Amino acid sequence: KHSTATTLSIINYFPKDYNQLISDFPDFTESNLRIILLSKLGLSNQDVSSLLGVTIDAVKKAKQRLKKKIGSDYNSILEEL
């Protein structure tokens, strides 16, 4: 539930970006969307881990999987939002 509440807060902060992401990348999971939107805020892995209640390693692994999933588009996605 903590993650769901966090996701809703993030969506409320970035409604247009969230809608763009789910339109452009329908396969993204809720976790993928959280990582992208929190990265857009410029939060460190430490900050993201504290906010989501997970370990720093979990954040790093999530980013690694996301980058593998979307390839070199990761940074351009952050810039476009």
Side-chain angles (χ1 to χ4, degrees):
K1 289 197 172 195
H2 176 73
S3 293
T4 301
T6 303
T7 300
L8 292 174
S9 297
I10 296 166
I11 292 167
N12 288 334
Y13 198 79
F14 292 113
K16 290 179 185 174
D17 295 329
Y18 176 80
N19 289 329
Q20 180 183 342
L21 281 171
I22 60 173
S23 173
D24 293 347
F25 302 96
D27 295 341
F28 278 3
T29 64
E30 187 175 301
S31 175
N32 294 152
L33 297 169
R34 275 195 304 265
I35 293 295
I36 290 173
L37 293 172
L38 290 172
S39 295
K40 179 181 171 41
L41 283 173
L43 297 178
S44 68
N45 289 346
Q46 172 70 47
D47 294 336
V48 173
S49 74
S50 295
L51 185 64
L52 298 179
V54 298
T55 66
I56 294 174
D57 286 339
V59 173
K60 289 178 183 177
K61 193 67 169 176
K63 284 184 175 183
Q64 184 180 38
R65 287 185 184 130
L66 186 57
K67 287 177 184 177
K68 186 175 181 181
K69 187 176 195 175
I70 58 178
S72 61
D73 291 340
Y74 182 78
N75 289 329
S76 61
I77 288 170
L78 291 178
E79 291 171 10
E80 288 175 19
L81 295 177

